Amino acid sequence: MSAPTRTRRTGTRTRAAQAALLALAATATSVLLASPAHAADTAPYRATVLEHGYDTAKVVTLSFDADWSDAGVASVLNTLKANGITAAFSLTGRFVERYPASTRTIMAAGSKLVNHSYDHPYFSKLTQAQRWSELNRAEAAYNKLGYSSNGWFRAPYRDGYADPGVNRDLALDGYYISFDWTFDTTGYNGASTATILSRVRQYVRPGAIIVMHPGEGSTDPAALPQVISTLKSLGYGFTNPYLTVTHGAIGSKYAALGAQRSLLGPARTVEMPGTVTGSAIQWFAGGRVYYSWATGAHEVNGAILGKFVSLGSVNGFVGYPRSDETAVTGGRASQFQGANIYWSGATGAHEVNGAILGTYLSLGGTASRLGLPTSDEHSVTGGRGSDFQHGALVWNSATGAVTVSYF
């Protein structure tokens, strides 16, 4: 390795060490107290309000808010199933406690669960502590049945949904998606089917999120078949809420992996800007997807993601991923712009980079006699070194040569 390149890498490591501290802090609530200009790939400063989805094609997302009654749930689910539609259900905690069987049926249909508070108060009138109590009590009710909202929220009465303070408090409690809506059919208020269909024709737009109610007294369940047929007659199709919050290269990667049924699970955030122009990051329940013009879109998950974040994520020397996580001899690996990260249950996750990585790969990588790395690259006398299951590689700062040792 040439001296100028080596000097660059040493400087990058200093910055990576600083970035790693920021990335580790992102796992704590305190990181959310930073200014909006914090480094890329840290927790959002406020929840993002979605009044419509990102898809600009003629598709809509159906959603249902339930609190006081489950009277129309079975009818709604039957209609959705008959039309092959996946919907979002915003459920209060007390609904889930009162109607566990209906909740299980809703979730068994593949619906996206959205936290709708515990008992449907006006959020703008609550203190921060009260807001968090509402969110956490509802989440506890979901968790008791084995479900999670994964940080999605919908404001009761649509009260305070655009309030910066409310959305700041949501983010402070780990709720980064405020899943709002484009228009309400008003079936909850007993609107006639003709009125409901008139509102559909008047307010529908590409990407619209439509809210309805399945409770006792609502006319939405009975009108739903005609709502669907009317939308189809207008040339609209239906997307599922898991895809509603994704788009572009990251959305395509997510869909290709299997969307919510993949190891990524539901989105935790909307797409966020990365460190270079045109780059983007999105967090999911089971991992993250990174995109840049130079690398494309790739997922990172599990222990490899943990190591990546500890090294500064995209703010550090490792850069953006150049591959999804793949199987290698003895474990798993992800390739990045500035390093490879390897993992196995026996060795943990470790990075290998620079000239040491070049030599390691030339020897056969994980399939070589060296096996998997057991350390990150570290300082040794006269240079840098990486340890492996059956040996070590040492880079000499004077010669740029890499020495191979087996044991």
Side-chain angles (χ1 to χ4, degrees):
M1 177 178 291
S2 65
T5 303
R6 187 62 193 180
T7 300
R8 178 181 61 79
R9 286 179 65 217
T10 302
T12 304
R13 278 200 178 80
T14 301
R15 293 192 296 274
Q18 296 169 341
L21 294 176
L22 290 173
L24 287 171
T27 61
T29 301
S30 60
V31 74
L32 295 170
L33 301 178
S35 71
H38 58 295
D41 207 19
T42 54
Y45 181 72
R46 289 191 180 98
T48 300
V49 178
L50 290 175
E51 296 178 341
H52 53 81
Y54 288 111
D55 198 332
T56 57
K58 292 186 71 173
V59 294
V60 299
T61 304
L62 300 185
S63 67
F64 298 84
D65 290 0
D67 174 38
W68 71 91
S69 164
D70 71 340
V73 167
S75 173
V76 165
L77 291 176
N78 285 337
T79 300
L80 294 175
K81 182 178 180 180
N83 287 275
I85 298 172
T86 299
F89 277 79
S90 303
L91 307 179
T92 63
R94 66 185 178 190
F95 175 94
V96 171
E97 290 176 346
R98 290 172 179 171
Y99 308 110
S102 288
T103 301
R104 291 189 179 96
T105 304
I106 288 168
M107 297 308 295
S111 310
K112 177 67 189 80
L113 175 62
V114 180
N115 191 316
H116 199 37
S117 78
Y118 179 76
D119 56 9
H120 214 266
Y122 288 90
F123 256 54
S124 67
K125 298 179 180 180
L126 303 182
T127 64
Q128 181 186 76
Q130 290 171 329
R131 290 167 184 164
W132 289 353
S133 176
E134 284 287 331
L135 294 167
N136 297 341
R137 288 179 68 194
E139 205 67 43
Y142 310 150
N143 294 167
K144 188 175 181 180
L145 296 183
Y147 309 120
S148 171
S149 71
N150 295 115
W152 293 38
F153 172 74
R154 175 172 282 175
Y157 309 108
R158 209 186 193 188
D159 172 65
Y161 78 101
D163 185 309
V166 169
N167 287 302
R168 179 73 176 128
D169 287 346
L170 290 175
L172 283 167
D173 203 31
Y175 291 82
Y176 305 131
I177 296 175
S178 181
F179 196 69
D180 193 56
W181 38 268
T182 310
F183 70 93
D184 188 333
T185 62
T186 68
Y188 73 93
N189 204 29
S192 67
T193 297
T195 297
I196 290 173
L197 297 182
S198 176
R199 289 181 64 81
V200 168
R201 295 186 186 97
Q202 181 178 359
Y203 296 115
V204 70
R205 53 174 287 191
I209 300 171
I210 302 172
V211 63
M212 291 173 276
H213 297 76
E216 183 178 358
S218 174
T219 51
D220 283 325
L224 183 57
Q226 292 183 64
V227 168
I228 293 171
S229 61
T230 296
L231 287 166
K232 288 180 178 178
S233 72
L234 295 172
Y236 281 85
F238 301 86
T239 187
N240 80 59
Y242 299 97
L243 297 177
T244 300
V245 301
T246 66
H247 66 123
I250 288 180
S252 295
K253 168 59 70 172
Y254 180 55
L257 291 171
Q260 75 275 16
R261 297 181 180 85
S262 72
L263 58 85
L264 291 173
R268 289 289 324 282
T269 69
V270 298
E271 189 175 288
M272 302 179 288
T275 55
V276 296
T277 301
S279 63
I281 302 159
Q282 189 162 8
W283 292 10
F284 296 84
R288 301 178 189 180
V289 178
Y290 297 84
Y291 168 80
S292 76
W293 284 102
T295 58
H298 300 288
E299 62 80 20
V300 186
N301 71 87
I304 290 179
L305 174 60
K307 171 60 67 175
F308 179 50
V309 170
S310 77
L311 294 170
S313 179
V314 294
N315 303 288
F317 74 93
V318 178
Y320 285 80
R322 296 189 296 110
S323 75
D324 295 343
E325 184 179 303
T326 58
V328 295
T329 304
R332 308 283 295 177
S334 288
Q335 300 174 34
F336 296 83
Q337 289 174 303
N340 286 0
I341 298 178
Y342 299 88
W343 173 87
S344 77
T347 60
H350 299 287
E351 61 82 18
V352 186
N353 73 85
I356 289 177
L357 175 60
T359 300
Y360 180 52
L361 294 175
S362 72
L363 293 170
T366 58
S368 71
R369 286 177 57 191
L370 289 169
L372 287 156
T374 57
S375 77
D376 293 345
E377 186 180 303
H378 53 86
S379 295
V380 297
T381 302
R384 306 284 295 178
S386 290
D387 301 323
F388 298 83
Q389 288 174 303
H390 307 295
L393 295 176
V394 175
W395 177 82
N396 187 296
S397 58
T399 66
V402 176
T403 301
V404 184
S405 300
Y406 296 102
F407 53 75

